[in-house]
Amino acid sequence: MVSLELLAQQFVNGLFFGGQLALIAIGLTLIWGVARVLNFSHGAMFMVGGFVGYYTLGATGSVLLASVLAVVVVFALGYVIEHSLLEPMRDREEFDIASMVVTLGLAIFLENAILVGVGSQRKSFPLLTDVVWNVAGLTISAQRLVIFVISLVALGLLFLVITGTKLGLAIRAVSQDSDTALLMGVRPKRVYSITFGASAALAGLAGVLLAPMFSVYPSVGWYPFLLAFIVVMVGGLGSVRGTLVAALGLAVVRSISMIWIASETAMMVLFAIMVGVLVVNPDGIGGWLDG
Amino acid sequence: MTGSTLGRSLGRARKRLLEDARGRNGRLLAVGTALALLAPLALTAYALDIVMQLFVAILVVGSWIFVAGYFGMFTFAHAALYGVGAYAAVLLVAEAGVNPIASILLGGVVAGLFSLPIAYPVLRLSGAYVGMVTLAYAEIIYRATILLREITGGPTGYTGFPHLFDGDSVAMYYFVLFVVAALMLVMYVLLVNRFGLVARAIRESPDAARMLGNDVSRHKLIGFVVGSSIAGVAGALQAYSILIISPPMLEIERMIEFMAMGIIGGLRTLSGGVFGVVVVFGLNELLRDYGEMRLVVWGAMLVVVTLYFPDGIADSDFDVRERLAGGDVPVRERIREAIGR
């Protein structure tokens, strides 16, 4: 018999993990929603963020500086990638497949270029704090709580930008109808590049924040990418709200199911859920939430 | 298919084959065939092994192009089904005492059966969504081969194979060559006939194809299952030629490798796939001592080819001599065009 404490503990762990997952997944959903790109290099952006953070931390000792620099560098990288690789193909009929292949090629290129450059050994990243609280029988690590809060703040900022600023208005306009937006004086190309940069920057930030748990190495991005991939499919590609709900929900399901089954099996269950959702409704749960 | 339509199909395929054979691709094919037939005279057992794996890769990539290039169903499940074919063939021999040669064919049948659960959702989806749902299915199969260790041997894989042809590597070589050539021919015949035309019509516009009276779902289903079954046969051939199967055979990395070959060569023709396999294999051998460097090169190639050569480097106007001579070179034109835009 599973004790109530264990269930509650797994629930909390799942919720925390869901916040981290949302940080990675929302970038993925954003860039699909706005620019119709299924970005296979999202995991590579996570990895680059981790490396920038790792070296900055080594040189300066400041986690804050490491995070800020990772966000800035990965934003710039994302902007350049969109502008130079994806923009030239935009008018192609099979743009969604072509962009998938290009970003996949880019991910292989980045991962292995870094592998050749610095080797495959895992670089460990120090914990911000090793404080652990005991609340009503639950173990809560301060580190995870801080990351959860930072994730929510970053996502909150993103929401504010999208709903409350001129740039956000332009992003929403382009995602709905880029031709009409162009007529209204919005430059869709700029918007695509900025959105891609912002999406990548979220992954880069996650790369630094999660580095203490995942450590830093060239192929570190694939597992978070796969999880985020499942989350956005279930949440509905392009739906920020659906993705947030799916991230929290799936992370809790995964966490609780791991009381009984191994993590490999849990991953299979998640993939099966994803196939099921896609078969029933390709728009995911976001289709209901936004509709 | 009735006797007379079959006869007509074959006649048409023969005519196309003869037309092709008069062209440059035909001469390349003739030279390639001659080299493949004579290879055992000149090559060591080790080199022969590599060539055998090249043939298997040609079959997998060819069957992927059959599905992804002609129908536009961009599947990520092909490597997983190739692995299913390998495991099925070997387990049928070990557990059910099936004849090894027959098991290779049965491996294809089992892979075809495994493709069915995902085939139905794929029929209703388009573009990147096909990629997503097949990627998920491939991951499920991959993880299942690791988890079901009583059946599959788990992460370390499965050995204990029967040797085909008493371990005679030259006989094995000719057998692989024969099976690969035969199945490539089957796909070729299908594709130069009405079936292939409908496939391309579906790729360009499913609605238009439907309005012209074609059963789009049935064509896509047949295309997906046939392509997947052939990948399964290729997996079985690979299993018997390297005598071990393990989960990495089904991993997404393998899929990406096959995709890279197909895309670099060109998704619009089977010969493009063959060309891509030869190029990537050659590259891998050249860069053998540089480890991960070859993956850097590949990643870059995938990006460059998709950007500047949407139909691959072996598209219909491919001509080695023209390109080497540097005269009126299509490559340069394309690059100029791309940069100008």
Side-chain angles (χ1 to χ4, degrees), chain A residues 85 89 92 94 96-97 100-102 104-106 108-109 112-113 115 229 233 237 264 268 271 274 279 282, chain B residues 74 76 121 124-125 127-129 132 135-136 139-140 143 147 256 259 263 268 292 295-296 299 303 306-307:
Chain A
L85 300 183
M89 306 190 303
R92 234 185 254 177
E94 294 177 324
D96 57 342
I97 287 176
M100 198 160 84
V101 174
V102 162
L104 182 63
L106 184 74
I108 299 171
F109 175 82
N112 291 289
L115 189 60
F229 182 83
M233 294 311 132
L237 263 175
E264 274 286 320
M268 262 176 74
F271 272 116
M274 172 188 155
V279 170
Chain B
F74 207 82
F76 273 79
R124 308 199 295 125
L125 300 170
Y129 281 99
M132 297 164 198
L135 176 66
E139 281 289 319
I140 293 174
R143 281 163 207 278
L147 288 170
I256 293 171
M259 272 171 54
I263 290 167
R268 293 291 177 251
E292 308 304 333
L295 290 168
V296 179
V303 172
T306 313
L307 269 177

